[in-house]
Amino acid sequence: MTTAATAASPGADGLPQRWLTDDEQRVWRAYLHATTLFDDHLDRQLQRDAGMPHVYYGLLVQLSQAPQRRKRMTELAIDAKITRSRLSHAVARLERSGWVRREECSSDKRGQNAVLTDEGFEVLRRAAPGHVEAVRQAMFDRLSPEQVGQLGEIMRIVAEGLQPQDSGADLPWLR
Amino acid sequence: MTTAATAASPGADGLPQRWLTDDEQRVWRAYLHATTLFDDHLDRQLQRDAGMPHVYYGLLVQLSQAPQRRKRMTELAIDAKITRSRLSHAVARLERSGWVRREECSSDKRGQNAVLTDEGFEVLRRAAPGHVEAVRQAMFDRLSPEQVGQLGEIMRIVAEGLQPQDSGADLPWLR
């Protein structure tokens, strides 16, 4: 989609700038192309087959795997790595579709749970095979077992770096 | 953000379903976490430092590297891997900011070019060091040279699979 390299040389502050090497630029471009195309592909597939974007589908999956198919909104935002406001908006939409409902949290008066409805579970059950097949075809069927392992390790490292433990970190679910 | 695996067993059509293995699920989850967090991180950084989201920045980069800092809209959509309508919207916004202008294409009456203005180039020049540093810190500084090579190859394979050559392919820039 884009590249981190430009034609300039020293940084705007006059300090020497650590630009990407040609090899790094190629990797970065491949990363942006693959992730942009994959996002688009899965959104199209799920919109067509289940009437929802990928991020909504992911929320239903999270709820389906939780005890009693319910989860606190705050935890759901952390799982999905999205902002609270984006989650609220998504859950409101899922509620209007009848796939999720909200309830007050019994242990904490200020908290709210999202609950997967039977109808939501049924939508997920019907959509899952086509979605898994799309993920398989685009990724796992095309990579060797070694590459799958490498990808997992690389993504684990990148994700870890983007979730620093210090309390001032600018993480989506804290917004 | 989500996972392609659910608790169900045979597919909705009754055929045996190729679910993800436990290892594949872990890799898929790591992929979704890393890419979702990285998207958020770069959008935040560029909104703060340059007043635009990552995809807009990417368009300015593409134009800055093109001859005479101009490119056909159709080519720009392919470079960015986005739909024509999303590109139109982005370029209209960039035009209002004074960073891009549109002109008729001299060789093709129906075509349009996007042109990077001097002001747009200046915005890019100021934003680039901070953006490259963010990409470095989140990805290249954290991976070994071997892992960078592996990531490039994996992403190349995935991107290639999502851009089939047949004419009926559902590619973003054809929409």
Side-chain angles (χ1 to χ4, degrees):
Chain A
M1 174 173 70
T2 159
T3 161
T6 67
S9 43
D13 50 7
L15 295 173
Q17 175 64 36
R18 301 193 304 149
W19 294 110
L20 299 186
T21 65
D22 287 353
D23 277 349
E24 287 168 339
Q25 283 181 50
R26 269 189 289 275
V27 172
W28 183 234
R29 215 171 283 129
Y31 171 86
L32 291 171
H33 287 174
T35 56
T36 306
L37 287 167
F38 211 173
D39 272 359
D40 176 81
H41 185 68
L42 294 181
D43 267 337
R44 292 283 281 180
Q45 180 264 319
L46 281 167
Q47 283 288 6
R48 191 183 57 225
D49 296 351
M52 71 184 108
H54 188 202
V55 70
Y56 290 23
Y57 177 87
L59 297 172
L60 299 189
V61 170
Q62 293 290 347
L63 293 177
S64 77
Q65 296 174 335
Q68 301 177 296
R69 295 183 189 164
R70 74 192 59 210
K71 216 160 191 177
R72 289 184 63 129
M73 292 285 280
T74 45
E75 284 173 49
L76 205 49
I78 296 172
D79 290 341
K81 313 292 178 206
I82 59 177
T83 61
R84 291 176 191 175
S85 67
R86 191 170 174 204
L87 178 68
S88 290
H89 183 75
V91 169
R93 288 283 299 274
L94 290 168
E95 210 168 16
R96 283 202 291 280
S97 301
W99 300 338
V100 165
R101 61 183 173 79
R102 276 181 279 197
E103 62 177 21
E104 298 310 308
C105 190
S106 57
S107 59
D108 173 3
K109 288 262 159 62
R110 288 166 310 169
Q112 237 184 1
N113 287 327
V115 188
L116 185 65
T117 65
D118 290 344
E119 201 187 332
F121 186 79
E122 185 56 27
V123 165
L124 186 59
R125 200 187 62 77
R126 281 198 306 269
H131 177 62
V132 177
E133 191 60 32
V135 170
R136 274 219 161 283
Q137 283 181 12
M139 180 172 276
F140 294 102
D141 287 355
R142 301 183 59 83
L143 301 177
S144 69
E146 290 71 33
Q147 287 176 318
V148 170
Q150 292 162 1
L151 179 64
E153 178 63 6
I154 289 166
M155 291 294 143
R156 192 191 61 71
I157 292 170
V158 172
E160 193 181 79
L162 291 166
Q163 296 175 88
Q165 296 303 306
D166 56 285
S167 61
D170 176 29
L171 295 166
W173 52 91
L174 301 177
R175 274 179 240 143
Chain B
M1 172 173 69
T2 159
T3 161
T6 68
S9 41
D13 51 7
L15 295 174
Q17 176 62 37
R18 300 193 305 150
W19 295 110
L20 299 186
T21 65
D22 287 354
D23 276 350
E24 287 168 340
Q25 283 180 50
R26 270 189 289 275
V27 172
W28 182 234
R29 214 170 285 129
Y31 171 86
L32 291 171
H33 287 174
T35 54
T36 306
L37 287 166
F38 211 172
D39 271 1
D40 177 81
H41 184 67
L42 293 181
D43 266 339
R44 291 284 279 183
Q45 178 264 318
L46 281 166
Q47 284 287 6
R48 190 184 58 226
D49 295 352
M52 71 184 109
H54 188 203
V55 68
Y56 289 23
Y57 176 87
L59 296 172
L60 299 189
V61 171
Q62 292 291 347
L63 292 177
S64 77
Q65 296 174 335
Q68 299 176 298
R69 296 183 189 163
R70 71 192 62 209
K71 214 159 192 179
R72 289 184 65 131
M73 292 285 280
T74 46
E75 284 172 50
L76 205 50
I78 296 172
D79 290 341
K81 313 292 177 204
I82 59 176
T83 61
R84 291 176 192 177
S85 66
R86 192 172 174 202
L87 177 68
S88 291
H89 183 74
V91 168
R93 288 284 299 276
L94 290 167
E95 210 168 16
R96 282 201 292 280
S97 300
W99 301 338
V100 165
R101 60 183 172 78
R102 277 181 281 196
E103 62 176 21
E104 300 307 309
C105 191
S106 57
S107 59
D108 171 3
K109 289 259 158 66
R110 290 166 310 171
Q112 236 184 2
N113 288 326
V115 188
L116 185 66
T117 64
D118 289 346
E119 200 187 332
F121 186 79
E122 185 54 27
V123 165
L124 185 60
R125 198 187 63 76
R126 281 198 306 267
H131 177 62
V132 176
E133 192 58 31
V135 170
R136 274 218 161 282
Q137 283 182 11
M139 180 172 275
F140 293 103
D141 286 354
R142 300 182 61 82
L143 302 177
S144 69
E146 291 71 33
Q147 287 175 318
V148 170
Q150 291 162 1
L151 179 64
E153 178 63 5
I154 290 166
M155 291 294 144
R156 193 191 60 72
I157 291 170
V158 172
E160 193 181 80
L162 290 165
Q163 297 175 88
Q165 293 305 304
D166 57 283
S167 59
D170 176 28
L171 295 167
W173 52 90
L174 301 178
R175 273 179 241 142

